[in-house]
Amino acid sequence: MEIYGLQKLTLLDYPGLTACTVFLAGCDLRCPFCHNYELAVRVSEPVMDEEDLTEFLGRRKGLLDGVVFTGGEPCLSPGLPALMGKVKDMGFLVKLDTNGMHPVILEELISDGLVDYAAMDIKNSPGKYAVTAGLPDKAIDMDALRRSIGLIKQLGEKGEFRTTVVAGFHEESDFEAIGQELDGAFQYFLQPFVDRDTVPDRDLRAPDIEELHKYAEIAKKFIKNVEIRGL
Ligand code: SF4
């Protein structure tokens, strides 16, 4: 399997643990605020193959706790379950970042014991999901997303939901609707958009900080732990 990026050490991507982050290519969404856009649309080149990765991990045994699989959307890579299995056999914990569009694969990965922690993006309230995911003319499969939400909820503290909050895309009523979807979830993170100029022809802005705090208060009516990340 081809690997499109490797961050050799992260203290942020896997909560509470030291990890490396493995980037896989391809995504079925086109979020205008994507920080890995070239990778999502598959215009970047692989940096290594699976063997190179396992060699690297062999040298990091005892130094890293976990491996984060991110993208793009990792569930689109057919070799993901086998690679996760190898990584777990080497003694690492595995975290999966997902956009939640592939509940069947997500369920298999979880039931096969391949996922120790999972983070799912919630792009916006259902009515604005397609436009926020950069696909205004497409119907987003909300049933699929809700199945994934259910699976992540079942993970309890080993699962998280998160929303990248972008000025002009999100408003208070969206967090009421998102809260209803996530009702009973263990944790939810609001992440203010940071402009890294990664998507061509986009002029997006970070949200107002006061607004962000209001959104978090709304979400707290439904979710036990709500935090703003990255301020
Ligand atoms: S789901 Fe993630 S990887 Fe895919 S386009 Fe959106 S932000 Fe980028």
Side-chain angles (χ1 to χ4, degrees), residues 15 19 25 34 51 59 71 83 89 104 106 112 116 120 150 163 168 172 188 205 220:
C34 182
E51 246 176 64
R59 297 195 299 272
L83 181 54
D89 287 346
V104 175
L106 180 61
D112 289 347
D116 298 291
M120 176 177 164
T163 296
E172 286 183 32
Y188 177 49
R205 282 179 300 111
K220 276 181 193 168

Side-chain angles (χ1 to χ4, degrees), residues 28 30 127-141 202:
D28 39 0
R30 290 290 180 267
K128 288 169 147 181
Y129 220 95
V131 73
T132 311
L135 301 170
D137 302 325
K138 251 187 125 179
I140 296 287
D141 186 348
R202 293 286 175 179

Side-chain angles (χ1 to χ4, degrees), residues 153 156-159 161 182 184-188 223-226:
K153 278 185 186 173
E157 63 190 44
K158 301 292 181 194
F161 298 96
L182 300 186
F186 181 77
Q187 54 193 344
Y188 177 49
I223 304 150
K224 201 169 157 193
N225 304 298
V226 178

